[in-house]
Amino acid sequence: MQRTEASNSLRPFTIAQLNKATQAHTDAEWRVDDVEIGQITVVGQVVSIQKQTTNCVYMIDDGTGKMEARHWVDNSNEDDSSRFGEITEGHYVRVTGGLKSFGKKRYLNTTHIREIRDAHEIYFHILEAITVNLIMERGPPSNPHGANAKPSENGGGNMSAYSVQGGGGPSDQFSHLPALQRNIVRFIMSQPPREEGIHVAAIAKAIGAGGQDAHKISEALDKLMDDGHVFTTIDDSHFNVSL
């Protein structure tokens, strides 16, 4: 169960933390402080870009270290090509994906990358990475609104500890979202846990898939990904909630 929770979670990291990640063997899951990690998100400055036919390699520096972020570009998708073609050297970006290695060199296998336009997001990411790391080590903070509230049954050593922070239910953290985005998130959360996530067709069918509605759902999913609330899993059509 721990592996499923980790693989279905999106956790913020610094590059220094990722450089310290370990594997029991080549095909094993990555672990940081003996906690399995799944999808990761990093914020840093693009110091160089190498554009190739099928992929684009960004060198990311977040002040704690440097690491390559490799994004495979679908040239047949105009939205994909134009969106990622706008990223330039010197700008800060948020990268989402998985940690990989090739020839003893680690890199980020990027599923989503976008430019950061609000400087506060840079500082927020650093603070969030610290907060999550402390929760992993010590467990979630006590809930002042409920004397009988208990930490996660699995203790502070897995991803579920992060999802219970804040005192409210998991859906409370999404209450500020626009109605359509909130409904999408709540629908995904209501489904039985699946490592592959929920297909966009199932989301559209549940939320509403008539003409303009389908377009609005696609836009809402893009916004949710940009804000780090959902992430793609096995392909660009399957989504899961970042807990």
Side-chain angles (χ1 to χ4, degrees):
M1 183 63 180
Q2 183 174 346
R3 179 173 181 176
T4 300
E5 289 177 353
S7 61
N8 287 339
S9 299
L10 178 68
R11 179 177 168 183
F13 282 100
T14 64
I15 291 176
Q17 287 178 297
L18 297 178
N19 281 328
K20 294 178 181 177
T22 59
Q23 281 181 304
H25 52 81
T26 306
D27 297 324
E29 300 298 326
W30 288 95
R31 305 180 76 86
V32 171
D33 295 329
D34 204 32
V35 177
E36 182 184 325
I37 62 176
Q39 293 287 299
I40 61 179
T41 181
V42 169
V43 168
Q45 186 179 38
V46 178
V47 296
S48 68
I49 301 175
Q50 297 179 23
K51 293 185 178 181
Q52 302 175 29
T53 305
T54 58
N55 64 79
C56 192
V57 180
Y58 305 91
M59 179 61 75
I60 308 297
D61 185 343
D62 72 346
T64 71
K66 296 181 180 180
M67 185 172 288
E68 288 184 352
R70 187 178 299 272
H71 177 71
W72 298 91
V73 180
D74 182 2
N75 292 316
S76 63
N77 186 330
E78 293 184 3
D79 290 338
D80 194 45
S81 299
S82 62
R83 186 192 315 175
F84 299 111
E86 295 174 355
I87 296 173
T88 56
E89 293 181 6
H91 287 196
Y92 279 83
V93 294
R94 177 178 290 278
V95 178
T96 303
L99 182 62
K100 301 288 185 180
S101 66
F102 181 76
K104 296 184 179 181
K105 183 178 182 180
R106 300 181 184 190
Y107 67 95
L108 298 170
N109 188 33
T110 305
T111 57
H112 195 71
I113 182 170
R114 66 171 174 82
E115 182 181 337
I116 289 178
R117 303 185 184 279
D118 185 347
H120 290 93
E121 185 175 352
I122 301 169
Y123 305 117
F124 175 83
H125 175 81
I126 296 172
L127 293 172
E128 187 181 29
I130 294 171
T131 300
V132 174
N133 191 62
L134 288 174
I135 291 174
M136 295 295 109
E137 290 181 355
R138 307 176 185 179
S142 58
N143 181 4
H145 303 292
N148 296 324
K150 297 180 180 179
S152 167
E153 293 180 358
N154 295 321
N158 59 38
M159 297 307 295
S160 60
Y162 179 36
S163 67
V164 299
Q165 67 170 307
S171 61
D172 289 352
Q173 69 188 95
F174 305 110
S175 60
H176 67 286
L177 295 176
L180 180 56
Q181 294 181 33
R182 189 168 62 248
N183 289 339
I184 290 173
V185 170
R186 288 178 175 171
F187 170 71
I188 296 175
M189 294 177 68
S190 71
Q191 302 304 296
R194 301 186 183 94
E195 290 195 31
E196 70 272 19
I198 307 300
H199 194 277
V200 65
I203 297 173
K205 182 177 180 180
I207 305 300
Q212 187 67 21
D213 288 338
H215 179 68
K216 289 180 178 179
I217 288 171
S218 178
E219 288 185 338
L221 282 167
D222 283 342
K223 178 61 176 172
L224 286 168
M225 282 200 298
D226 286 345
D227 293 340
H229 296 310
V230 304
F231 61 95
T232 53
T233 56
I234 57 175
D235 56 34
D236 291 339
S237 298
H238 287 78
F239 297 85
N240 226 325
V241 175
S242 308
L243 293 178

